[in-house]
Amino acid sequence: MNNITLMRDGSIVQNGETVESVLLMFLGFKVDLEKGYTLRSWFQMLGKYSLLASLNAFLPTSIEQYLACPANGCCFDGFDHLEFNKTVEMIGFPGNPRLEIYNSFHGIKSHKTFALKSVRMENILDMSVRLGKLKHVVFGDKVDIFEFDTVFSLFEFIDGIAWELSFHGSPKQCEIGR
């Protein structure tokens, strides 16, 4: 599989060269993150490669929120880092079994997962982002969840984070920890 590296400054690098054009051909490439990559880096990537901002209908609102945030110091004590992962879930057995595959983006604190929707964007922009594992859930059994190394494409990474951020917008008074 072809790889690209997403850099802290928002640049995309392939084979040691910064990507300047023909960006769409990289949407299916495996993503690696430079050490120190943050949610702010993700937004900077959307600014450098404006075509990517048209991949998801929710991005204009998230970009507006991002632009209204402070230029630095946007961290939240309630998380150690942010994590992007994938879940494969077999559900509906007996009956009509089906397989659902989805990505999620959430906060991690002491190996526990927390939703981001109750934390304002201004408090997570400078949190480090990590790529997690694939979680395999068999017929809703949350006790025996299997975890595997996996890959994430650039499209999955952009669309998955955009989807999660679309749930943002809680009033400041409703933020976790207040």
Side-chain angles (χ1 to χ4, degrees):
M1 176 171 238
N2 293 316
N3 294 0
I4 54 172
T5 302
L6 306 183
M7 307 303 286
R8 288 187 316 256
D9 69 357
S11 299
I12 299 174
V13 172
Q14 190 215 13
N15 296 331
E17 299 289 326
T18 300
V19 172
E20 301 293 339
S21 62
V22 290
L23 188 62
L24 293 180
M25 70 181 268
F26 297 103
L27 288 176
F29 282 36
K30 175 187 178 281
V31 167
D32 292 314
L33 303 178
E34 180 183 32
K35 185 177 171 117
Y37 190 87
T38 64
L39 184 57
R40 187 180 302 277
S41 304
W42 184 82
F43 278 106
Q44 288 172 327
M45 175 184 66
L46 297 177
K48 285 185 182 199
Y49 303 97
S50 59
L51 184 60
L52 296 178
S54 64
L55 289 175
N56 185 292
F58 299 114
L59 279 172
T61 303
S62 293
I63 291 169
E64 279 181 34
Q65 291 174 355
Y66 159 71
L67 292 173
C69 291
N72 55 45
C74 299
C75 292
F76 179 60
D77 294 357
F79 301 149
D80 298 327
H81 65 276
L82 305 176
E83 187 173 279
F84 187 76
N85 68 17
K86 189 180 298 187
T87 301
V88 174
E89 189 168 357
M90 294 172 26
I91 55 180
F93 183 84
N96 295 322
R98 69 183 191 276
L99 186 68
E100 292 186 3
I101 302 170
Y102 53 91
N103 295 307
S104 58
F105 186 55
H106 46 265
I108 301 291
K109 178 73 171 184
S110 302
H111 305 288
K112 293 182 183 174
T113 302
F114 297 92
L116 297 178
K117 64 184 175 184
S118 297
V119 180
R120 297 179 53 81
M121 188 180 300
E122 66 199 38
N123 294 325
I124 58 174
L125 277 175
D126 296 317
M127 303 285 304
S128 68
V129 174
R130 297 184 188 167
L131 298 175
K133 296 190 176 247
L134 179 142
K135 295 179 182 186
H136 185 228
V137 181
V138 181
F139 300 125
D141 183 3
K142 303 284 185 191
V143 175
D144 292 322
I145 295 177
F146 304 99
E147 291 189 356
F148 303 92
D149 288 333
T150 192
V151 298
F152 300 96
S153 71
L154 178 59
F155 177 78
E156 288 176 312
F157 189 67
I158 293 168
D159 190 61
I161 292 176
W163 172 257
E164 193 63 44
L165 293 180
S166 72
F167 295 100
H168 268 241
S170 303
K172 198 170 201 169
Q173 296 81 357
C174 295
E175 185 173 335
I176 291 176
R178 289 208 173 261

